[in-house]
């Protein structure tokens, strides 16, 4: 059985993330989409909220499981018997950092491979940070965020007092 992990902060999950999930789910028998802790980021949504968002927008994919972890990615993968890390790339600038991380992961756990998947052209400009910023200004999120979570994203930004309108 081929098992892969798509790790990320997913704060919130975007249509670009969902595109990578859909394409990865077509290649692997089992895909874990895992909300990971990133000490460089202060997320707007809790880990539980982000995991719930992923679960809701991926329920149509029977081989996708949404989880979260505060462990090293390679430790999480070992528990799941996964051998492949999926990393979506929007631009060449993403590659430098992700390549370094891939080498570190392989050093920590030989046998782990990283698959770099370029984003579809129509999603290259979408990021979770951009989504949060657009939400603050009351922009229409329909072409950026899965419809299942748009209201949740808007409510959270409003409840945090982050809206400008």
């Amino acid at each position: 059985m081929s098992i892969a992990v798509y790790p990320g902060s997913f704060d919130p999950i975007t249509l670009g993330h969902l595109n990578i999930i859909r394409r990865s789910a077509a290649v692997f028998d089992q895909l874990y989409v895992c909300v990971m802790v990133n000490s460089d980021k202060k997320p707007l949504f809790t880990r539980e909220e982000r995991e719930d968002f992923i679960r809701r927008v991926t329920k149509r994919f029977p081989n996708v499981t949404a989880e979260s972890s505060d462990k090293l990615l390679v430790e999480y993968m070992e528990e799941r018997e996964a051998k492949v890390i999926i990393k979506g790339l929007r631009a060449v600038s993403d590659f430098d950092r992700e390549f370094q991380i891939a080498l570190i992961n392989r050093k920590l756990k030989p046998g782990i491979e990283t698959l770099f998947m370029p984003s579809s052209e129509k999603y290259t400009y979408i990021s979770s940070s951009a989504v949060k910023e657009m939400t603050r200004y009351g922009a229409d999120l329909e072409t950026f965020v899965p419809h299942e979570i748009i209201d949740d994203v808007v409510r959270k930004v409003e409840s945090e007092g982050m809206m400008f309108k």
Side-chain angles (χ1 to χ4, degrees):
M1 176 187 262
S2 60
I3 303 171
V5 174
Y6 180 28
S9 53
F10 305 107
D11 188 44
I13 188 169
T14 68
L15 290 175
H17 293 131
L18 191 56
N19 177 263
I20 298 291
I21 291 167
R22 178 187 56 76
R23 292 164 49 208
S24 299
V27 174
F28 294 93
D29 296 322
Q30 177 65 48
L31 176 66
Y32 290 95
V33 181
C34 189
V35 176
M36 303 295 292
V37 173
N38 183 337
S39 57
D40 292 336
K41 295 181 179 181
K42 173 140 178 36
L44 174 62
F45 297 93
T46 67
R47 273 187 13 202
E48 294 78 18
E49 287 171 321
R50 290 178 278 158
E51 190 178 332
D52 176 62
F53 290 168
I54 295 165
R55 194 171 288 113
R56 287 166 40 199
V57 304
T58 63
K59 65 182 173 188
R60 65 181 173 261
F61 305 112
N63 62 330
V64 173
T65 302
E67 294 185 336
S68 64
S69 177
D70 58 2
K71 297 179 180 185
L72 276 175
L73 176 57
V74 293
E75 292 174 357
Y76 171 82
M77 293 184 65
E78 191 169 40
E79 291 173 358
R80 301 295 175 278
E81 299 181 0
K83 300 289 185 215
V84 178
I85 301 168
I86 304 294
K87 294 304 290 190
L89 299 177
R90 291 173 295 175
V92 174
S93 57
D94 291 343
F95 180 76
D96 286 336
R97 178 159 162 56
E98 294 299 343
F99 184 70
Q100 290 175 343
I101 294 169
L103 293 175
I104 291 168
N105 285 330
R106 194 174 339 149
K107 180 73 171 174
L108 291 171
K109 183 75 176 152
I112 294 289
E113 295 295 340
T114 300
L115 174 65
F116 296 108
M117 188 173 285
S119 73
S120 294
E121 302 80 31
K122 68 185 201 176
Y123 301 119
T124 57
Y125 61 91
I126 299 176
S127 70
S128 295
S129 298
V131 165
K132 288 181 280 197
E133 189 68 11
M134 290 185 305
T135 306
R136 295 175 74 190
Y137 287 95
D140 181 6
L141 301 180
E142 194 70 29
T143 58
F144 303 99
V145 177
H147 66 88
E148 296 95 334
I149 66 166
I150 289 174
D151 291 341
D152 299 282
V153 172
V154 171
R155 264 194 304 278
K156 182 71 161 201
V157 170
E158 286 175 343
S159 74
E160 295 289 320
M162 298 170 62
M163 296 293 284
F164 287 133
K165 62 182 234 181

